[in-house]
C-alpha cells in the first residue's frame, strides 16, 4: 500500500477522461484510487502485456477498464456514504448474531 493514499477518500475530484494508460497513471499518481492501486496497476499491466500477442491486447484492455472503474468508484462523491452504510449494515448483522 502506497504512501500516496489516505485511509479514506479525501475530497473528490472532477471526472477524468481515463481513456489511456497515461490518464490512469496520472489519476493514480494523484491518489485517485484505492490503497495499493498505483503499484497494482503497474504489476497487472505488466502481466497483461507479457501475456498478450501483437494481435490480441484484450488482457491489456481489461486492466485499463478495471482500473478506470476503480478510480471512478473511489472518486464518486457518494462512495464515502455507501461505504459507511455498508459497514453499519455489517456491524448490525454481526451484533444480531446473523453472521
Amino acid at each position: 500500500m502506497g504512501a500516496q493514499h489516505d485511509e479514506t477518500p479525501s475530497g473528490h475530484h472532477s471526472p477524468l477522461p481515463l481513456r489511456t494508460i497515461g490518464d490512469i497513471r496520472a489519476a493514480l499518481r494523484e491518489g485517485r484510487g484505492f490503497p495499493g492501486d498505483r503499484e497494482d496497476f503497474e504489476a497487472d499491466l505488466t502481466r497483461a502485456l507479457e501475456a498478450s500477442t501483437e494481435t490480441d491486447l484484450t488482457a491489456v484492455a481489461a486492466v485499463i477498464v478495471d482500473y478506470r472503474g476503480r478510480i471512478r468508484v473511489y472518486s464518486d462523491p457518494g462512495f464515502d456514504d455507501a461505504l459507511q452504510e455498508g459497514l453499519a449494515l455489517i456491524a448490525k448483522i454481526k451484533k444480531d448474531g446473523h453472521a
Side-chain angles (χ1 to χ4, degrees), residues 2 6 24 29 41 57 95 97:
D6 292 330
I24 291 171
R29 273 193 308 272
F41 173 72
L57 296 172
K95 180 181 164 230

Side-chain angles (χ1 to χ4, degrees), residues 2-94:
Q4 77 276 10
H5 300 287
D6 292 330
E7 285 297 312
T8 58
S10 60
H12 298 284
H13 307 280
S14 59
L16 295 174
L18 301 173
R19 290 184 293 251
T20 67
I21 291 171
D23 292 342
I24 291 171
R25 282 181 172 144
L28 293 173
R29 273 193 308 272
E30 293 173 7
R32 297 183 187 197
F34 293 95
D37 274 359
R38 184 175 179 182
E39 297 81 9
D40 291 345
F41 173 72
E42 295 301 331
D44 290 346
L45 182 61
T46 296
R47 278 191 295 279
L49 284 167
E50 289 174 359
S52 296
T53 67
E54 64 186 50
T55 59
D56 184 6
L57 296 172
T58 305
V60 173
V63 170
I64 292 168
V65 168
D66 179 39
Y67 282 87
R68 180 177 59 205
R70 293 173 64 84
I71 292 165
R72 287 185 175 151
V73 165
Y74 188 87
S75 298
D76 185 303
F79 175 76
D80 292 334
D81 293 337
L83 180 61
Q84 290 304 316
E85 183 180 324
L87 292 172
L89 180 59
I90 290 168
K92 181 181 180 335
I93 290 170
K94 285 183 175 183

